[in-house]
Amino acid sequence: MNADQVIRTDREGLATLALNKPDKLNSLDSAVFEQLLIHVEQLEASTDTIGCVILRGNGRSFSAGHDLGAIAAGEDPYHNTFQAKVIERLANLPQPVISAVHGHCYTGALELALAADVILASANARFADTHAKWALTPIWGLSQRLPRRVGVAKAREMMFTCRTYTGAEAERIQLANACFSDEVFDQEVEAFARALLANSWFSLRENKRLLIETEGMTLLAGLAHEVFRTAGTGPDMQSRIAAFAQRKR
């Protein structure tokens, strides 16, 4: 197995996971998910040193999706739920996760990107759900995460038509939080992540936890959960308030 199909780099609290099969447009297979799981497990235990995670692809694309060649060669995409479980653990990382999407982001790759809290798109990004082209159905979370992001009507359009959407269109339908020109994409992704990291990592983790735990609750149940299950104040509250007071003098 290629030891470098997913590359992790850490810098000043920011971990970047890069899919690294550029010759195959970062197509997804079991080996990729096995390596991704190793990184996810390490990140789950790294909240003291890592405050934010970026998921991206090396080369021309984020990912062209599930490797159809592997399926044609006999890989059964429904044999087990391993890949779905890896994506679920990625989605539930304590740290905020950003999918930085350029080039292709098709089908299985879209399911992977949707595991992130935030999707940032380059203008050259191309998003599509093409399950229906290949007589497949989602198994990595798309039928649940896509409508929660873009609305049921738009999700049905994407799933039924297999149409491709540009980065700008993805931003308009709220699939992507923002779309940046290709020339400044990397810098804008970095700036976005650094803006998150400037905030309390405690608050980032606890805000994400509350959002995950209250998904699907009624308003009253969600409000009660927030009040009685909040983690309260973080260990950096006093220092942050003191620094603010000092600046005001």
Side-chain angles (χ1 to χ4, degrees):
M1 181 176 68
N2 184 345
D4 298 316
Q5 291 190 18
V6 182
I7 296 176
R8 173 179 166 182
T9 56
D10 296 352
R11 188 166 57 86
E12 298 174 340
L14 178 62
T16 298
L17 300 179
L19 305 175
N20 190 45
K21 294 169 62 180
D23 56 322
K24 298 191 70 173
L25 298 178
N26 298 317
S27 59
L28 304 172
D29 57 21
S30 296
V32 172
F33 280 99
E34 287 168 4
Q35 293 186 29
L36 185 59
L37 176 60
I38 293 171
H39 293 302
V40 168
E41 289 175 337
Q42 293 171 347
L43 288 166
E44 288 172 342
S46 301
T47 55
D48 289 342
T49 56
I50 298 298
C52 181
V53 178
I54 293 176
L55 177 67
R56 64 179 311 143
N58 285 338
R60 296 191 293 120
S61 294
F62 177 78
S63 170
H66 200 162
D67 189 342
L68 294 178
I71 296 176
E75 179 181 293
D76 183 355
Y78 301 100
H79 178 65
N80 60 53
T81 60
F82 172 67
Q83 293 96 332
K85 290 177 179 177
V86 175
I87 289 178
E88 188 67 14
R89 286 184 70 168
L90 175 67
N92 289 320
L93 276 174
Q95 305 92 335
V97 178
I98 299 169
S99 285
V101 177
H102 74 292
H104 307 82
C105 184
Y106 294 163
T107 317
L110 178 56
E111 295 189 275
L112 179 61
L114 284 166
D117 303 290
V118 173
I119 297 177
L120 301 178
S122 184
N124 69 11
R126 296 294 181 267
F127 297 86
D129 172 37
T130 64
H131 279 100
K133 277 191 176 181
W134 316 112
L136 296 169
T137 55
I139 194 173
W140 297 347
L142 184 135
S143 71
Q144 300 305 302
R145 293 194 174 97
L146 184 62
R148 283 170 168 79
R149 190 175 285 268
V150 303
V152 173
K154 186 58 69 174
R156 291 185 185 195
E157 175 189 307
M158 294 182 69
M159 296 171 74
F160 295 166
T161 67
C162 301
R163 180 191 149 191
T164 299
Y165 297 75
T166 67
E169 288 175 313
E171 181 183 27
R172 281 199 294 272
I173 65 175
Q174 298 186 326
L175 174 59
N177 294 76
C179 177
F180 304 110
S181 68
D182 303 335
E183 295 75 17
V184 299
F185 179 60
D186 290 342
Q187 299 94 302
E188 291 290 352
V189 170
E190 176 83 10
F192 190 99
R194 292 296 167 193
L196 296 190
L197 288 168
N199 294 318
S200 168
W201 294 9
F202 162 84
S203 294
L204 297 179
R205 294 192 302 268
E206 288 305 313
N207 288 344
K208 180 170 180 176
R209 180 186 65 81
L210 284 171
L211 290 169
I212 290 173
E213 291 178 352
T214 57
E215 177 73 38
M217 286 186 181
T218 65
L219 176 60
L220 289 177
L223 290 171
H225 190 94
E226 177 184 296
V227 170
F228 295 108
R229 296 290 300 279
T230 185
T233 59
D236 53 344
M237 183 195 74
Q238 291 291 351
S239 62
R240 285 176 171 272
I241 293 176
F244 174 76
Q246 186 66 33
R247 289 197 305 270
K248 296 290 285 185
R249 291 180 182 174

